[in-house]
């Protein structure tokens, strides 16, 4: 069974930094797109950053130049380095991975449970 588990959220002051981690575990056949989304209560979930094959990376305009997405293949861990955090970055951040589990022929999107990031002075 594929699982995604995030960590690294917390309280940070404006201008500070946080690194979110997402460990992907289970019987993974093939791994496709990876990404981080965030959601503020009452608002639609939005894409923060995504990473796909051949290192194709995209960022939301609001985080370009401040956030960095990366993947450690050996540790099967997705990271989101967040710098120069702003009040409006406060949200629940969730990682997602499009995976074909080993022994199957279908791809599915898997999600972590989410981790809260609060930017406040």
């Amino acid at each position: 069974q594929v699982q995604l588990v995030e960590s690294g959220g917390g309280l940070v002051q404006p201008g500070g930094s946080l690194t979110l981690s997402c460990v992907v575990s289970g019987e993974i056949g093939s791994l496709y797109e990876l990404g981080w989304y965030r959601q503020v209560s009452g608002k639609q979930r939005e894409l923060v950053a995504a990473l796909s094959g051949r290192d194709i990376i995209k960022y939301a305009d609001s985080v370009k130049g401040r956030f960095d997405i990366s993947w450690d293949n050996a540790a099967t861990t997705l990271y989101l380095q967040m710098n120069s955090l702003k009040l409006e970055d406060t949200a629940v951040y969730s990682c997602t991975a499009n995976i074909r589990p080993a022994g199957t022929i279908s791809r599915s999107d898997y999600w972590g449970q989410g981790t809260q990031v609060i930017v406040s002075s």
Side-chain angles (χ1 to χ4, degrees), residues 6-118:
E6 301 110 335
S7 61
L11 175 64
V12 63
Q13 291 186 337
S17 298
L18 277 178
T19 300
L20 304 183
S21 301
C22 172
V23 177
V24 181
S25 62
E27 297 295 320
I28 300 170
S30 299
L31 185 63
Y32 300 95
E33 188 166 290
L34 301 158
W36 288 96
Y37 283 75
R38 66 186 180 187
Q39 188 168 24
V40 176
S41 180
K43 294 188 177 181
Q44 196 168 7
R45 184 168 57 193
E46 65 169 349
L47 173 69
V48 176
L51 173 65
S52 58
R54 300 181 183 178
D55 294 327
I56 298 172
I57 297 175
K58 54 185 176 183
Y59 294 98
D61 288 342
S62 59
V63 307
K64 281 181 181 176
R66 300 189 296 121
F67 290 14
D68 181 35
I69 187 172
S70 61
W71 168 252
D72 183 333
N73 198 52
T76 61
T77 301
L78 182 69
Y79 297 99
L80 184 68
Q81 174 67 44
M82 306 186 293
N83 301 316
S84 302
L85 283 160
K86 302 177 181 180
L87 297 176
E88 53 265 39
D89 293 319
T90 295
V92 175
Y93 286 71
S94 299
C95 61
T96 183
N98 186 258
I99 293 171
R100 180 186 62 78
T104 71
I105 59 172
S106 299
R107 297 163 52 172
S108 299
D109 290 328
Y110 293 84
W111 291 85
Q113 80 285 0
T115 185
Q116 177 76 57
V117 172
I118 299 174

